[in-house]
Amino acid sequence: MELVYTGKTKDVFKLEDGHYLLKFKDDVTGEDGVFDPGANTVGLTIDGAGLAGLRLTSFFYSKLNEQGVPTHYVDANFDDATMTVKPATVFGNGLEVICRFKAVGSFLRRYGAYVQEGQDLDAFVEVTIKDDERLDPPISADALAMLGILSLEEYEILKQRTIEISKFVAAELAEKGLTLYDIKLEFGRDAKTNEIILIDEISGGNMRAYKGDAYIEPLQLEKIMLA
């Protein structure tokens, strides 16, 4: 295996057959020891977070694949905390796509003059550029097209798939009595077909889930969902 990328929460290896291997780590995003799925820095390390993230990712991706939603997921090895994925290219230097059902996190910090904390949002989609130096700035569909990162047509596909996947995840959580406040997804182009596909992970590390007014930590979320 060839190590090709070291990320905040995963390392990426290239396999001889052309697939890639994602090694999940126990590092999670946040600041000053407080977990925050919207943060662009590693804030803390939680024992078992990597395996919990992988198990939940495998759970969601397997269901999405069964439904015909295009993803990069191939299979997972829980013993090694690794996931095999198809090759894909990212948009520009990488985009993050957030779907919001409640006004919390950075949305509340930006627009707090107009919304109340926890206010309902109608699957609001926003895109940010992966750029740690500039704190992952939000970007509009027109700007994405103007900068050649993705076309307006591709943006519409990205938006609709984000809503579809996020509502699917929300429905799965609802079956366990949980409410999805927001979720962060990543997409890329399939290296062979150029189709827009879901990449990276779907886990407690990239969403906010609540039971009533109580926030559910990533490890607890995995236990609840896979019980």
Side-chain angles (χ1 to χ4, degrees):
M1 293 189 302
E2 174 191 355
L3 177 65
V4 295
Y5 178 74
T6 298
K8 299 182 184 72
T9 60
K10 289 180 289 297
D11 291 334
V12 182
F13 299 85
K14 185 175 182 180
L15 301 176
E16 291 183 356
D17 64 1
H19 286 142
Y20 286 80
L21 194 74
L22 308 185
K23 172 68 174 178
F24 283 62
K25 301 189 282 191
D26 287 340
D27 297 333
V28 297
T29 55
E31 293 182 4
D32 302 323
V34 178
F35 169 72
D36 180 354
N40 63 348
T41 57
V42 171
L44 64 160
T45 299
I46 302 174
D47 260 356
L51 179 57
L54 173 61
R55 283 169 55 83
L56 206 50
T57 296
S58 178
F59 169 80
F60 284 122
Y61 269 88
S62 296
K63 285 178 173 280
L64 288 168
N65 281 355
E66 289 172 4
Q67 294 176 20
V69 177
T71 80
H72 71 162
Y73 179 76
V74 177
D75 59 35
N77 184 324
F78 298 141
D79 291 334
D80 296 333
T82 59
M83 182 168 81
T84 303
V85 300
K86 296 184 291 186
T89 58
V90 297
F91 300 103
N93 294 322
L95 302 175
E96 292 179 342
V97 190
I98 302 97
C99 188
R100 302 185 183 276
F101 298 97
K102 297 281 187 180
V104 293
S106 59
F107 184 91
L108 182 65
R109 289 193 293 272
R110 289 197 300 267
Y111 309 122
Y114 298 91
V115 297
Q116 298 295 317
E117 183 173 4
Q119 181 176 321
D120 288 339
L121 301 174
D122 186 17
F124 174 75
V125 174
E126 63 180 348
V127 179
T128 66
I129 295 176
K130 295 184 78 169
D131 187 334
D132 291 347
E133 184 179 341
R134 295 172 178 81
L135 304 178
D136 295 351
I139 186 168
S140 68
D142 285 344
L144 286 165
M146 190 175 298
L147 296 174
I149 298 173
L150 84 165
S151 69
L152 290 173
E153 292 77 15
E154 286 177 319
Y155 176 82
E156 285 305 316
I157 295 172
L158 197 75
K159 179 180 176 180
Q160 291 308 313
R161 288 200 176 149
T162 296
I163 293 171
E164 175 187 0
I165 293 165
S166 300
K167 286 186 174 180
F168 158 77
V169 173
E172 291 289 325
L173 265 62
E175 289 186 9
K176 299 288 187 176
L178 306 177
T179 301
L180 180 62
Y181 275 32
D182 58 27
I183 183 169
K184 178 174 63 180
L185 303 175
E186 292 190 35
F187 293 85
R189 294 185 180 94
D190 187 299
K192 291 184 177 179
T193 66
N194 214 37
E195 181 181 21
I196 294 177
I197 61 175
L198 181 69
I199 63 172
D200 200 48
E201 65 180 283
I202 301 179
S203 71
N206 63 344
M207 69 176 78
R208 289 186 181 90
Y210 281 73
K211 188 174 183 65
D213 294 328
Y215 168 70
I216 306 299
E217 296 284 349
L219 267 66
Q220 186 183 1
L221 180 63
E222 181 259 345
K223 291 176 182 176
I224 293 172
M225 293 302 298
L226 303 183

